[in-house]
Amino acid sequence: MKSDKKNIRHLSLPQLQEYFGSIGEKAFRAKQVYEWLWLRHATSFDDMTNLSKDLRHKLEEHFVLPAVQVDATQHSNDGTIKSRFKLHDTHLVEGVLIPTDTRQTACVSSQVGCSLSCKFCATGYMARKRNLDFDEIYDEVALINKQAMEAYGKKLTNIVFMGMGEPLLNYRNVLQAIERITAPDGLGMSPKRITVSTAGVAKMIRQLGDDKVRFNLALSLHAANDKKRSEIMPINDTNSLKELIDALNYFYKATGNEISFEYILFDNFNDSKQDADELIKIYRQVPADLVNIIEYNPIDNAQFRKPDALKAEQFMEYLAKNRVNARLRRSRGKDIDAACGQLANKG
Ligand code: SF4
């Protein structure tokens, strides 16, 4: 049965203070509860041990605290940990911890499924069920942070919104989650360590500029002309490369934040010299810091293959010769379907 009780984490601190005032409690109690919710990651009212039992009971009567739970984890040979998270309504999403010598990166989901149907992506073959609430996104990050501490003794250093879903189609919740993740009374992370990756929603890229966000932006490019890009990413039909280039420039002018491109190499599709030339042309039109060239990870439904190592190397060399700051990103967590584009709640 659906509860009418409000999610307590959807109340701001002033709203919580107002509530505590209305039940005759002192204002500092609101601060204590807010700390439990965001700083101390309480998952139930019973965790709030510096409140009286009476008060905890009162909160329980009025509110719910639907914390995200780890449903299953898989450990890759390369140290990557994939988690399946269960939401309060039993929906499942996935998140990944990617450790390197210098970084602990969390890759998080923003939607249950995805509506954009990119042809190379396992999530794209699932229907979009719903958006994640901001507190659910926050929980994913907090839980992966806990895993990083437990498994590697280090906190998260970076967050990428490259899991399931298109973050800019869940705009308000993603921004609110990042506000909590970066707040001193939340996870206190630097926005410079956060990258939101989009398949290319030009209007919302401009909105990020208008909102003067402080995090970085990555565009999943994957093909550098409209015909090819529309073939693998249907969103390109309504958000052409020209529109995206203009929107990225608008974003950069408004924020000065880092922009990068993601480009998955597909064998005999986007890995020729002509493809590289088209990519270079786009790179020159946007103040992008970096092009991440990504090894393709096969998924069940798609017919793409990754090019052999020599071809990938030649592609990289050609970009370097043309002064493109490009990096070949080897896939992580392939053995557990945790690599880029492979998240689909398998098993
Ligand atoms: S690549 Fe991203 S936007 Fe495209 S279908 Fe997958 S999750 Fe959705």
Side-chain angles (χ1 to χ4, degrees):
M1 204 169 67
K2 198 175 179 301
S3 163
D4 292 333
K5 295 183 204 171
K6 205 172 162 74
N7 181 340
I8 192 165
R9 287 196 294 177
H10 290 186
L11 266 63
S12 64
L13 182 56
Q15 286 170 327
L16 264 185
Q17 281 163 337
E18 201 185 309
Y19 168 75
F20 277 92
S22 77
I23 59 166
E25 287 285 345
K26 299 225 163 44
F28 80 90
R29 291 282 177 214
K31 188 89 196 297
Q32 278 180 327
V33 169
Y34 200 71
E35 272 184 16
W36 275 113
L37 296 176
W38 297 109
L39 200 62
R40 304 169 79 168
H41 313 298
T43 56
S44 77
F45 294 109
D46 275 341
D47 286 349
M48 304 179 183
T49 45
N50 56 358
L51 305 184
S52 70
K53 271 204 171 133
D54 222 32
L55 183 51
R56 279 185 257 163
H57 186 66
K58 227 178 246 175
L59 291 177
E60 192 132 28
E61 270 179 357
H62 281 87
F63 300 106
V64 285
L65 175 46
V68 171
Q69 285 165 6
V70 178
D71 188 52
T73 53
Q74 282 177 281
H75 294 249
S76 160
N77 298 332
D78 66 19
T80 300
I81 303 173
K82 179 168 84 167
S83 302
R84 187 169 66 195
F85 297 114
K86 195 190 228 164
L87 312 180
H88 66 89
D89 53 4
T90 74
H91 280 313
L92 301 168
V93 291
E94 292 180 337
V96 186
L97 169 65
I98 308 149
T100 67
D101 291 345
T102 53
R103 289 177 178 205
Q104 300 281 324
T105 302
C107 175
V108 296
S109 297
S110 54
Q111 297 182 308
V112 183
C114 186
S115 58
L116 296 189
S117 305
C118 301
K119 297 285 183 290
F120 49 84
C121 168
T123 312
Y125 289 86
M126 301 165 65
R128 189 200 77 100
K129 302 272 175 32
R130 71 166 173 87
N131 286 340
L132 262 68
D133 277 341
F134 70 95
D135 51 308
E136 294 174 320
I137 298 172
Y138 181 89
D139 277 355
E140 274 185 84
V141 175
L143 288 168
I144 297 175
N145 188 43
K146 196 165 161 239
Q147 286 174 340
M149 289 298 295
E150 284 167 4
Y152 301 106
K154 292 176 193 162
K155 283 190 188 165
L156 282 182
T157 58
N158 294 70
I159 301 171
V160 293
F161 281 76
M162 293 184 187
M164 303 164 88
E166 164 54 54
L168 298 191
L169 294 182
N170 185 14
Y171 189 87
R172 198 180 47 80
N173 282 306
V174 166
L175 259 61
Q176 216 172 337
I178 293 175
E179 186 280 320
R180 291 284 78 222
I181 291 164
T182 53
D185 60 2
L187 285 169
M189 287 187 67
S190 163
K192 299 276 162 240
R193 298 292 194 139
I194 299 175
T195 301
V196 169
S197 174
T198 177
V201 189
K203 191 173 143 205
M204 302 318 289
I205 293 174
R206 286 173 178 270
Q207 186 65 50
L208 290 173
D210 289 340
D211 287 338
K212 302 264 184 296
V213 299
R214 293 182 301 139
F215 50 80
N216 305 316
L217 186 62
L219 175 72
S220 298
L221 190 62
H222 308 321
N225 71 52
D226 280 315
K227 187 175 168 293
K228 279 193 186 182
R229 194 162 189 271
S230 286
E231 250 178 72
I232 54 171
M233 302 179 76
I235 191 174
N236 195 72
D237 292 343
T238 46
N239 292 261
S240 69
L241 283 169
K242 164 87 177 69
E243 284 170 272
L244 292 175
I245 289 166
D246 289 350
L248 289 173
N249 278 291
Y250 183 91
F251 170 83
Y252 186 77
K253 216 167 149 202
T255 67
N257 297 349
E258 267 179 34
I259 296 174
S260 57
F261 289 120
E262 308 281 316
Y263 190 96
I264 303 176
L265 272 187
F266 300 111
D267 190 33
N268 287 331
F269 178 76
N270 64 357
D271 58 350
S272 70
K273 183 170 163 297
Q274 191 188 334
D275 294 312
D277 280 328
E278 286 170 347
L279 173 57
I280 293 163
K281 206 167 138 203
I282 288 182
Y283 178 76
R284 301 241 186 281
Q285 294 173 71
V286 175
D289 296 83
L290 178 69
V291 183
N292 278 307
I293 305 289
I294 304 165
E295 247 186 7
Y296 177 60
N297 307 296
I299 59 166
D300 291 347
N301 334 33
Q303 73 279 47
F304 299 101
R305 282 195 320 267
K306 71 172 197 178
D308 62 43
L310 180 66
K311 236 170 156 188
E313 216 172 281
Q314 284 167 344
F315 195 87
M316 295 304 296
E317 273 169 17
Y318 190 73
L319 293 182
K321 212 169 80 191
N322 284 279
R323 300 181 313 285
V324 175
N325 183 26
R327 186 174 63 182
L328 184 62
R329 242 176 49 196
R330 306 253 173 234
S331 277
R332 303 287 306 271
K334 270 189 288 197
D335 52 333
I336 54 167
D337 284 336
C340 232
Q342 288 187 316
L343 301 185
N345 294 339
K346 263 200 216 169

